[in-house]
Amino acid sequence: MRGLHADTGYLLYRLGLRSGQLFNACLQESGVRLRHYAVLRFLATCDGALQRELSTRLGYDPSAIVGLVDDLEKQGFAERRPAPDDRRSRIVVLTESGRDFLRDTDEAGQRVTNELLDPLDPAERDALHTLLLRITEEPLE
């Protein structure tokens, strides 16, 4: 029987845990957790998104998205607005305070990534990034 460290899925899980721990520690003072940060980063790439789209794209349970958006609204980092094409629907948009927060945390986020990837040389980092993009190219469902 092969050892646990021979299982790539387990190693990816461990990397995810470590990444989450480091990012959460980095974000701790702001009151934002990695899951909030992911929502903000996604919103920074678009003009707003329905909560169900956030759920699908980020791979979070729809009920979790509601709480995350509530938290982000309380901090002034995101807000719900009427959808332009359907007044009954609400989209979540990044506020200027949310953009400022992301700008202010860019350097800290990069430090976390560099700490995680420290054992790799630049070419290995690029290769890992390319492979992870290929693996995660399919939307989560």
Side-chain angles (χ1 to χ4, degrees), residues 1-2 26 42 45 47 49 52 75 77 83 107 127:
M1 178 163 302
R2 63 192 174 113
C26 169
F42 179 80
T45 67
D47 293 328
R52 70 177 161 268
Q75 291 188 293
F77 294 158
E107 188 177 312

Side-chain angles (χ1 to χ4, degrees), residues 102-119:
L102 288 175
R103 236 184 330 274
D104 293 345
T105 57
D106 274 343
E107 188 177 312
Q110 193 58 52
R111 277 195 312 270
V112 168
T113 299
N114 287 338
E115 182 178 333
L116 281 169
L117 301 181
D118 188 52

